[in-house]
Amino acid sequence: MADPKRLILACAQPGHQLNPLVKKRERVVGGQRLAEPNGEGFPIYAPCAGTVTDVAPALSSTGDFVLAIFLENDGSGETAPALPGWDDPTDPTPEAIRLRALEAGIPDVARGGIALARSLAPTTPIQTVVLNGCTTEPLVQAERVLLHHEWETVLFGFRAAIRAIGAPEAIVALSVADRPLVGTLSQSLTERDAITIEILPDRYPQGLERYLLAALRGVDLPVGEDPATVGFAVFDVTTMHALGRALRDGQPFTHRVVTVAGDGVARPGNYRVPLGMPLGALMEAAGRQGTIRQLVWGGPLSGTAVASEEIGVCANTRAVLAYQQPVSFEVPTTDCIRCGRCIDVCPERLSPIYLARYAEHKRWDEAEAEGALLCSSCGACSYVCPTGRPLVQSIQLARYEILRQREAERASQPKEVAVP
Ligand code: SF4
Ligand code: SF4
């Protein structure tokens, strides 16, 4: 997809805000650094050349306003020189791989967008590195497209991640639907690679780390724990693709593949789009049709409706679904019949019905105690509920409120002042 006229690049990362390096009316070229982190984050880069029209708050997918850089594409296609690359992912040292991941502004998408460089420097011994090719939910094909069409780049990044972490074993986990890929992928592997390809059932949410590790090695990952606690490092396909490009081609992370679907677009598909592309521009480019009454940020089960088309695509935007009728109101909601299905399907072993009840009554402390922050927003509970209760939506609201209150408390704490 061609780069749009305007981009909205959020300067927010988990836990902190970036420092913009550009000012209003400043001209930039593609690949130029636009903002850098205060602490543990990573920089962001211009996906294309153009002029900064503003540095101001912009709406994010959570409904919050975050500082953003507004960039007007001048169509010149001018880019900054690429960094030097390596022909072989085992040539750079582990430290050089981590440094390039940081310099190239690559997030670990599966870890909520923390810097990939952090995930490549685990603090506990890692036995197995896993490339998670099972992350897709129905309709969402962004990662599969990379596996099918850009496998060499993904493998480059994955080999580098294995080297950086120093694990003796590695697994590429695929859904059974991708079994035809095995021959092609295997051809790229050599005896030097300690990589095996394993096929898992094609069911949702197989890609969740708890399910993934249980299926691969029978490991019971404790709820809320990182795979590193049981000796695993798990990476998603988009992250490994970005690492491959950064190391081989010297390119920063500026674009990602997004699935665009729904009856609001005439040309649904998987598009490589620049970070910061406004959802409205994405709709136009995919052939907006009819009146779009609901835009969903994410997949049909885990996604959430957003209130504006003036939100820029981010590193974690795997899909955008556009509907002419709001799908969430098609199922009539009735009272809970206590069937327990939502509890049976929850991969995080939560009790969605109780979490949702606490959220409905704004009992945020009890929702937190019941594990609201452990919910992975997979949407399985809402999907199976025979009475159509909006369980995941209520739990997401609780998560949002709990985190907002924590942030407010942190902001109200007196700050230490250095005494001369
Ligand atoms: S969305 Fe529902 S099923 Fe999925 S983790 Fe959260 S509570 Fe459990
Ligand atoms: S699945 Fe729906 S009806 Fe059944 S217990 Fe959960 S909330 Fe209640």
Side-chain angles (χ1 to χ4, degrees):
M1 192 174 269
D3 290 341
K5 286 295 291 173
R6 284 174 65 242
L7 296 172
I8 307 168
L9 293 137
C11 293
Q13 287 168 2
H16 70 275
Q17 181 180 296
L18 301 177
N19 290 329
L21 299 171
V22 291
K23 296 192 188 71
K24 196 172 171 177
R25 288 187 279 279
E26 190 171 331
R27 183 168 189 278
V28 300
V29 297
Q32 179 175 330
R33 189 175 287 202
L34 296 181
E36 61 183 8
N38 275 314
E40 286 193 325
F42 49 90
I44 61 168
Y45 292 84
C48 61
T51 304
V52 175
T53 56
D54 210 349
V55 180
L59 194 62
S60 74
S61 64
T62 61
D64 291 318
F65 280 85
V66 297
L67 188 67
I69 295 171
F70 293 76
L71 182 64
E72 192 162 301
N73 179 7
D74 63 12
S76 69
E78 193 180 345
T79 56
L83 293 167
W86 286 272
D87 292 332
D88 187 319
T90 58
D91 282 347
T93 63
E95 187 51 40
I97 293 168
R98 288 190 279 270
L99 185 61
R100 177 58 59 89
L102 189 62
E103 281 179 336
I106 304 175
D108 185 346
V109 175
R111 308 250 91 67
I114 65 166
L116 174 62
R118 268 177 67 189
S119 305
L120 294 177
T123 52
T124 52
I126 299 295
Q127 175 69 22
T128 309
V129 184
V130 181
L131 174 65
N132 185 359
C134 305
T135 53
T136 49
E137 61 184 277
L139 276 183
V140 183
Q141 303 288 319
E143 268 97 15
R144 290 187 74 201
V145 165
L146 288 176
L147 280 177
H148 281 252
H149 299 287
E150 305 221 3
W151 165 242
E152 290 297 335
T153 310
V154 175
L155 180 60
F156 201 103
F158 188 48
R159 281 176 170 147
I162 297 166
R163 174 162 171 70
I165 288 174
E169 182 196 35
I171 301 170
V172 174
L174 298 178
S175 297
V176 72
D178 287 318
R179 195 188 286 280
L181 261 184
V182 172
T184 314
L185 305 196
S186 303
Q187 281 172 9
S188 321
L189 302 178
T190 67
E191 284 185 5
R192 268 198 312 157
D193 291 308
I195 300 175
T196 55
I197 299 175
E198 301 202 15
I199 304 291
L200 300 180
D202 194 11
R203 65 181 177 197
Y204 180 77
Q206 183 65 74
L208 281 188
E209 287 163 350
R210 279 175 40 72
Y211 273 14
L212 188 73
L213 300 188
L216 286 173
R217 290 293 180 266
V219 171
D220 189 7
L221 177 65
V223 171
E225 292 290 346
D226 191 276
T229 58
V230 288
F232 286 80
V234 182
F235 295 105
D236 66 283
V237 175
T238 296
T239 301
M240 291 298 97
H241 180 264
L243 182 61
R245 286 192 81 232
L247 289 163
R248 188 190 60 198
D249 308 332
Q251 296 292 337
F253 181 54
T254 55
H255 291 70
R256 68 152 295 152
V257 176
V258 177
T259 298
V260 183
D263 63 3
V265 290
R267 294 185 294 278
N270 297 288
Y271 295 101
R272 183 171 179 268
V273 307
L275 302 181
M277 184 168 191
L279 298 187
L282 189 57
M283 293 302 102
E284 300 307 329
R288 179 194 296 272
Q289 64 179 5
T291 302
I292 296 175
R293 292 197 169 83
Q294 189 172 58
L295 263 182
V296 176
W297 178 279
L301 289 158
S302 66
T304 49
V306 290
S308 167
E309 295 191 358
E310 276 290 285
I311 301 173
V313 165
C314 297
N316 68 354
T317 315
R318 292 161 53 234
V320 178
L321 310 178
Y323 297 107
Q324 296 187 28
Q325 293 299 327
V327 287
S328 54
F329 298 116
E330 284 178 0
V331 182
T333 297
T334 58
D335 287 344
C336 169
I337 57 170
R338 297 179 175 271
C339 67
R341 288 189 203 172
C342 57
I343 297 172
D344 290 342
V345 297
C346 178
E348 304 297 347
R349 298 182 192 153
L350 301 172
S351 298
I353 178 56
Y354 295 116
L355 286 170
R357 284 228 176 106
Y358 291 137
E360 284 162 13
H361 293 94
K362 297 186 172 46
R363 289 156 62 180
W364 312 125
D365 289 347
E366 285 154 285
E368 184 175 0
E370 191 70 29
L373 294 181
L374 301 175
C375 169
S376 59
S377 298
C378 70
C381 50
S382 291
Y383 183 73
V384 299
C385 177
T387 63
R389 299 190 65 73
L391 298 170
V392 64
Q393 292 85 351
S394 300
I395 298 166
Q396 282 174 337
L397 177 66
R399 281 171 57 91
Y400 175 81
E401 280 298 331
I402 294 164
L403 293 174
R404 193 181 63 76
Q405 285 181 6
R406 278 191 186 178
E407 189 56 39
E409 278 167 26
R410 204 168 19 239
S412 66
Q413 297 288 323
K415 300 206 170 32
E416 277 186 31
V417 179
V419 179

